Each structure stands twice: as structure tokens, then as C-alpha cells.
Amino acid sequence: MPKVTQEYMDARRKQILEAARRCFLRDGFHSTSMQDLFAESGLSAGAVYRHFASKNEMITAIVEENMRDVLAMVHSAAEKRPSHSVGALMADVLDIVKAKTAEQNIAGLSVLAWSEALRNPSLARQFDDLMAQMRSALTDVVREHQRSGTMPGEASPDGIAAALMCILPGYILQLAMGDAKSMEEVPGALRALWPNSAASTD
């Protein structure tokens, strides 16, 4: 029997998740059956179950993939770019969300997943973990800016990070509702609200 390569397995997993995205966006989580997913992916039940035991596992995998680039951007700012302004960081995050929404409609998928998380404790825990990771990284960024004097220090870094986190769901919701045009100036507005003032403090 020929050996199945990792590249082959990765390609099948990607094929399944792309099919799941299309089904979930078209019919919603609850109206999509495993049979629908088999048909949409063009794979057998055994091939799909080899990668995912349930729809819930697919939903979780999609949420993780949607957040991966955003988390990477925030962690990079926390670890490698302490002089990068908070406004520029948040604008970069929104730019990623907008680009991924154009490619895969992650805004629509995110809203569907949030709704599902209200009744799905496992998915809710997944969201909590991802959001906690982002909040922690943002807290590190804010703390560094407060330490360098480029951000006011009256409020706690945790509180500021939590406030910044509130921007993301609102942006995602409006993109999901088809309001992309009115959102075009939001990244630029964030850069203007929190400019990079590190150079002026040298």
C-alpha cells in the first residue's frame, strides 16, 4: 500500500475546510449535515472522518485558522516591534481581517461562530482562549508604550488592551453585514488616533 504523504494529508484537510466554509456560509452550521459536507468536498465519509470527527471540530479548526494571522501580528508587535504604534498595530489587524474577508468571508464565518459559541461550550472555550492570547499580547504592547512614555500611564495596560479588543468585533460585524465601504477609513483613523510618537521622545 503506498505511503500517504503529509502534503497529501494537508491538501485533503484544506479541501474539507474550504468545503465546510462554503456550506456554513450558505446554509449555517445547524442546517449543514455531514452528508452535505461529503458532497461539497467531493470526498468519501471515511476520508472526511479521517481528519474531523464532527462538524464541531471543523468549526473549531476554521476559527483557529481565521485567528492565526491576527494573533501572529499581535505577538510580533509585542515581541519584536515595541516601537510600532498601537494605532498602526490595530490598523494592521483590521487590514488582515478585511483581506481575509475578501478571500474567505471570515467576517461572516466569525459572526456565525460567535452565535454558535453561545450554545456550544467547547467552541466558547476555544474563543475564550484565542481572545485571551490576543489580549495578553496587546497588554504587553501597551505596557511597553507606557514604559517608553508614548502612551499615557493612567489606565492599566490590561484595561487599555481590553478596550482595544472591543474594536475588532464591531469591525468584523459591520464587514459581515456588507458595510465594507463605510469601514474603509477605519484603519487610517486608528493610525491617526494613536500615532507613533516614539521618535518625538528620543
Side-chain angles (χ1 to χ4, degrees):
M1 183 176 179
K3 183 178 179 181
V4 176
T5 66
Q6 187 60 48
E7 289 78 10
Y8 177 88
M9 294 292 287
D10 291 344
R12 292 292 76 75
R13 186 179 190 276
K14 180 179 179 182
Q15 183 178 347
I16 294 164
L17 289 180
E18 286 176 349
R21 286 187 184 95
R22 292 192 297 271
C23 285
F24 293 153
L25 284 168
R26 184 176 62 238
D27 302 318
F29 292 138
H30 297 293
S31 295
T32 297
S33 68
M34 290 302 289
Q35 291 296 329
D36 294 329
L37 293 166
F38 304 152
E40 187 74 25
S41 67
L43 298 173
S44 67
V48 173
Y49 281 125
R50 185 174 187 179
H51 293 271
F52 300 100
S54 66
K55 284 195 299 180
N56 281 350
E57 286 192 6
M58 294 183 199
I59 295 167
T60 299
I62 289 170
V63 169
E64 287 178 339
E65 287 193 358
N66 286 350
M67 295 293 289
R68 187 176 299 145
D69 287 349
V70 176
L71 280 168
M73 170 70 70
V74 177
H75 281 301
S76 174
E79 296 169 6
K80 300 175 184 176
R81 297 185 295 171
S83 62
H84 199 53
S85 80
V86 171
L89 167 61
M90 293 303 299
D92 288 348
V93 168
L94 298 193
D95 284 339
I96 289 174
V97 170
K98 183 177 180 181
K100 283 188 162 289
T101 295
E103 294 170 5
Q104 302 172 351
N105 196 5
I106 71 161
L109 284 166
S110 295
V111 173
L112 284 172
W114 290 337
S115 176
E116 177 66 11
L118 294 175
R119 59 167 295 281
N120 184 328
S122 175
L123 187 59
R125 286 192 296 272
Q126 184 71 18
F127 264 119
D128 287 344
D129 179 61
L130 289 168
M131 299 303 275
Q133 290 181 50
M134 185 179 295
R135 196 159 45 244
S136 175
L138 274 174
T139 297
D140 290 342
V141 173
V142 171
R143 186 177 290 113
E144 179 63 29
H145 278 281
Q146 288 182 329
R147 196 175 290 132
S148 67
T150 58
M151 249 188 128
E154 291 82 4
S156 73
D158 295 294
I160 295 174
L164 291 171
M165 288 286 292
C166 293
I167 295 170
L168 187 57
Y171 184 79
I172 288 173
L173 177 60
Q174 292 185 76
L175 285 183
M177 297 298 291
D179 201 13
K181 187 165 182 60
S182 67
M183 296 291 99
E184 287 178 357
E185 296 184 9
V186 172
L190 289 173
R191 291 184 176 97
L193 281 170
W194 292 290
N196 190 350
S197 56
S200 64
T201 61
D202 291 342

